[in-house]
Structures are given as C-alpha cells and as structure tokens.
Amino acid sequence: DAGVIQSPRHEVTEMGQEVTLRCKPISGHDYLFWYRQTMMRGLELLIYFNNNVPIDDSGMPEDRFSAKMPNASFSTLKIQPSEPRDSAVYFCASSLIRWNTEAFFGQGTRLTVV
Amino acid sequence: AQSVTQLDSQVPVFEEAPVELRCNYSSSVSVYLFWYVQYPNQGLQLLLKYLSGSTLVKGINGFEAEFNKSQTSFHLRKPSVHISDTAEYFCAVSEGNNDMRFGAGTRLTVKP
C-alpha cells in the first residue's frame, strides 16, 4: 500500500476562494482523521470518521469548514470561504479498527491563503 | 478529558549525547500513550506506543520510553543521538474513546 495519500501537497489561494483538500486512506482502515497544524496551536484534531460516518466534528473551527467521506477510499476537507488565518498544514491520517493502534499520516497539504 | 504536556519546546544536543524528551499527561482513566516523530515536510510516524504490560517500551531508531503511572509521565529517551534524529517529536495520549490528543511538540536539534 502506498500509505495515506493527500492532494495537493501545496495550495495557494486568495481570501474568499473555496479550497478542497483530498485524502485517500490506507485500504482497510476504518478510521480517518483530519488534523490541522500551526505554529501557534500545534496539532489539532478537526474531525474523524468511522466507517465513513463522521463521529466527532467538535474540532472544526467554524461553519466555513466541512468534511465528507463518500466512500471508504476518499475524503475531502473543504473551506468556503477561505481566510488568511486558515493558513496551516492539514494532515489526514487513518488507522485500523481502533484508534489506540498506530495512526498513519499523510504528508500533509500546506495551505496558504493570501 | 485527557491532556498532554511536553515540557520542553526545544532541545538542542550534541551528536552521540543522550537525550530525554519529557511528556506528562492528565487523565482520570487508563490511557494509551504514543510518541510520534515528524521530519521536515513530512507527516507524523509512530516511534513507539504503550498499551499495557511492561512499562519500558522500545521503539524504532533506538528510542525507548518508560510509562510511569504514579508520575503520569511517558518520557522518551535515546542513549546516543545522531544528526538524523533532528526532528519534531510529539507525545500523544488516548483514553481509548477513539480520541487522541497530541502535545505541542518538542523540536530536537542534534548538533555535530
């Protein structure tokens, strides 16, 4: 397996534009997580899915953020409209069955909103 | 809810010296503990984990950590570091309720 795949690796967009980040988890993993990493706040859990169903989205900062998982092999994180304070590295991770086993992270998407 | 405190934001050390990265957690129930490493421009990867059993856990790249329940600590150690160990290290705790919390990270810089 190629691991967790995220795209794009880098995204630069103007304030107000819609941004969509994509993630392909490892095949067979039942849990998928979206994290945001910034210097100020460190690594924050935004939302996670179990078997494609959102379980906890309490970390999503505001209504401008939304995440979907239409099937077991694909998830998106959308920001609409984007703002400069959304600039961060966004990581997707997946794990097998239970969260207290190893989580595998993608290489992240570096988002810059200007 | 659980929380994680990494006491040092930066740890500079010379090559071949020993290193300890400190991690304390707070939780009212049994926990699972992890250390992850993040190399520049990469995602996090697991170094080691404590789920149960022996309190001394050995991981990859010569790292080990010891779970101390009375002190609620899970410090990471390596007896002799290499330049290639320069990275950000994250301690994480899970109460097994499908939620993992990460510490703020410790940047380890190994100098020649």
Side-chain angles (χ1 to χ4, degrees):
Chain A
D1 201 309
V4 176
I5 300 173
Q6 292 185 246
S7 64
R9 289 294 309 276
H10 302 274
E11 176 80 38
V12 180
T13 190
E14 291 184 348
M15 182 174 62
Q17 295 298 305
E18 177 180 294
V19 175
T20 299
L21 312 181
R22 298 174 177 80
C23 175
K24 182 181 186 315
I26 292 173
S27 177
H29 282 191
D30 291 338
Y31 288 86
L32 182 139
F33 308 83
W34 282 100
Y35 283 90
R36 178 173 67 176
Q37 186 178 39
T38 60
M39 289 292 292
M40 291 297 295
R41 301 174 68 91
L43 201 60
E44 303 172 276
L45 177 65
L46 300 178
I47 184 173
Y48 77 92
F49 296 81
N50 179 20
N51 292 323
N52 313 337
V53 176
I55 302 300
D56 183 357
D57 65 354
S58 59
M60 297 285 261
E62 44 196 280
D63 292 344
R64 297 184 297 106
F65 286 70
S66 63
K68 294 182 180 179
M69 192 165 185
N71 57 63
S73 59
F74 184 65
S75 177
T76 59
L77 178 67
K78 186 176 294 186
I79 308 172
Q80 166 63 21
S82 58
E83 297 182 4
R85 59 193 170 117
D86 301 330
S87 298
V89 181
Y90 291 81
F91 287 103
C92 175
S94 70
S95 69
L96 180 67
I97 303 176
R98 289 179 61 87
W99 181 219
N100 47 20
T101 56
E102 179 176 0
F104 293 81
F105 283 75
Q107 291 191 302
T109 295
R110 182 174 295 276
L111 173 65
T112 303
V113 183
V114 299
Chain B
Q2 73 274 32
S3 67
V4 184
T5 303
Q6 290 185 243
L7 298 163
D8 306 296
S9 61
Q10 296 188 56
V11 173
V13 64
F14 286 105
E15 192 173 20
E16 297 184 6
V19 70
E20 177 179 82
L21 307 183
R22 297 180 293 170
C23 173
N24 285 87
Y25 67 93
S26 64
S27 174
S28 58
V29 298
S30 296
V31 295
Y32 307 100
L33 297 157
F34 306 80
W35 275 99
Y36 283 81
V37 60
Q38 184 181 28
Y39 298 105
N41 299 315
Q42 298 291 320
L44 280 68
Q45 64 183 81
L46 185 70
L47 268 181
L48 49 80
K49 61 186 176 186
Y50 171 79
L51 302 182
S52 64
S54 173
T55 57
L56 183 63
V57 180
K58 293 188 183 298
I60 62 171
N61 301 340
F63 284 92
E64 64 181 31
E66 185 157 18
F67 170 55
N68 189 318
K69 187 175 182 179
S70 62
Q71 297 186 2
T72 60
S73 68
F74 191 56
H75 301 332
L76 181 71
R77 301 185 183 98
K78 186 169 182 178
S80 176
V81 294
H82 303 288
I83 298 288
S84 59
D85 293 322
T86 294
E88 187 100 18
Y89 291 80
F90 292 91
C91 182
V93 60
S94 169
E95 290 182 341
N97 61 350
N98 299 323
D99 187 11
M100 181 176 287
R101 299 292 175 180
F102 285 83
T106 297
R107 179 165 296 279
L108 174 65
T109 302
V110 181
K111 299 179 287 185

